[in-house]
């Protein structure tokens, strides 16, 4: 079928990441408890060692609860090397969905992205999956916040019931299997 001008315009205005790495610099990356577990598993580290090496706790704005973020070195994320994410296959949920309207309106996202980002002159296609992703992220963040308000810092043993609930909510069988170490999740 021949493309019409309208179809071409739509195609041209689609967001395409330029892989400039700008969003990995000068930006704090919040972590959920399951992000911490997934990243530590990817790096083959025990979660407590991963946490002390790669995470920091920060209280932002009016929030009196310090929450976990990825460590930054000289302003850039500790996993950024030559503009390539060294944690690509296990990156935090926020990175996995950047930029995305699951975190707010397109204006809100543009205001948070670096000026060089293609999002300032293109648009993100809406996905039917957005509502599910938004619910999953909000639930993971809520459980992470409840955990930190109770325990103050990350300890794998204490965080396990919270991680399990997040994975169950996501219904991620492979991760539940890795997490519990048994095959209950695949039944
Ligand atoms: S700033 Fe935008 S274009 Fe650059 S890597 Fe991030 S998402 Fe991609
Ligand atoms: S984890 Fe990867 S994608 Fe996320 S900020 Fe760090 S380098 Fe960028």
């Amino acid at each position: 079928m021949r493309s019409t001008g309208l179809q071409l315009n739509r195609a041209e205005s689609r967001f395409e990441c330029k892989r400039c790495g700008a969003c990995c610099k000068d930006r704090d990356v919040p972590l959920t408890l399951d992000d911490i577990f997934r990243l530590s598993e990817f790096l083959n580290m025990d979660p407590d060692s991963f946490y002390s090496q790669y995470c920091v706790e920060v209280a932002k704005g009016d929030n009196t609860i310090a929450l976990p973020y990825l460590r930054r070195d000289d302003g850039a994320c500790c996993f950024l090397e030559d503009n390539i994410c060294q944690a690509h296959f296990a990156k935090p949920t926020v990175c996995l969905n950047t930029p995305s309207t699951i975190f707010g309106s397109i204006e809100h996202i543009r205001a948070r992205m670096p000026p060089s980002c293609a999002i300032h002159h293109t648009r993100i296609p809406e996905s039917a999956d957005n509502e599910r992703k938004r619910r999953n992220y909000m639930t993971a963040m809520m459980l992470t916040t409840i955990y930190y308000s109770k325990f103050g810092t990350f300890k794998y043993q204490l965080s396990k019931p919270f991680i399990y609930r997040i994975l169950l909510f996501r219904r991620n069988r492979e991760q539940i299997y890795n997490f519990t170490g048994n095959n209950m999740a695949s039944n």
Side-chain angles (χ1 to χ4, degrees):
M1 191 175 72
R2 253 181 47 187
S3 297
T4 63
L6 184 61
Q7 280 169 327
L8 268 178
N9 282 342
R10 279 190 182 143
E12 281 169 3
S13 67
R14 251 172 193 246
F15 172 78
E16 267 185 45
C17 177
K18 294 187 288 181
R19 302 184 198 287
C20 64
C23 60
C24 305
K25 297 167 190 159
D26 298 322
R27 185 181 72 129
D28 289 328
V29 176
L31 298 169
T32 55
L33 289 170
D34 60 313
D35 286 333
I36 296 168
F37 173 70
R38 190 176 61 257
L39 281 159
S40 64
E41 198 188 28
F42 175 71
L43 295 175
N44 208 13
M45 295 176 76
D46 81 81
D48 291 321
S49 307
F50 167 82
Y51 193 75
S52 37
Q53 196 167 328
Y54 292 106
C55 305
V56 292
E57 288 157 6
V58 183
K60 291 209 167 218
D62 294 339
N63 197 350
T64 49
I65 302 168
L67 293 171
Y69 289 81
L70 272 185
R71 199 193 74 215
R72 282 169 33 183
D73 300 329
D74 298 326
C77 171
C78 57
F79 287 124
L80 189 68
E81 267 183 46
D82 298 328
N83 275 358
I84 295 172
C85 175
Q86 301 301 313
H88 179 72
F89 294 107
K91 57 173 63 166
T93 317
V94 161
C95 304
L96 199 61
N97 294 292
T98 293
S100 163
T101 46
I102 72 168
F103 303 119
S105 66
I106 186 74
E107 291 76 23
H108 171 83
I109 301 303
R110 282 183 176 142
R112 291 169 151 252
M113 295 303 283
S116 62
C117 183
I119 194 63
H120 291 288
H121 50 84
T122 55
R123 67 178 172 81
I124 314 167
E126 275 297 317
S127 150
D129 240 14
N130 272 6
E131 192 46 44
R132 183 186 60 82
K133 287 181 180 172
R134 185 179 298 119
R135 266 204 317 269
N136 282 348
Y137 182 69
M138 296 311 288
T139 303
M141 242 331 168
M142 186 186 69
L143 284 165
T144 301
T145 306
I146 292 171
Y147 169 85
Y148 274 83
S149 65
K150 200 167 155 67
F151 297 108
T153 190
F154 181 82
K155 295 274 180 250
Y156 182 48
Q157 282 306 324
L158 296 175
S159 70
K160 273 178 153 185
F162 292 81
I163 297 174
Y164 188 59
R165 281 189 181 91
I166 294 170
L167 296 180
L168 268 186
F169 191 81
R170 287 190 201 280
R171 291 184 169 75
N172 188 327
R173 290 187 172 210
E174 190 187 339
Q175 273 196 343
I176 294 171
Y177 176 85
N178 291 346
F179 179 71
T180 57
N182 64 46
N183 62 3
M184 275 167 58
S186 58
N187 290 335

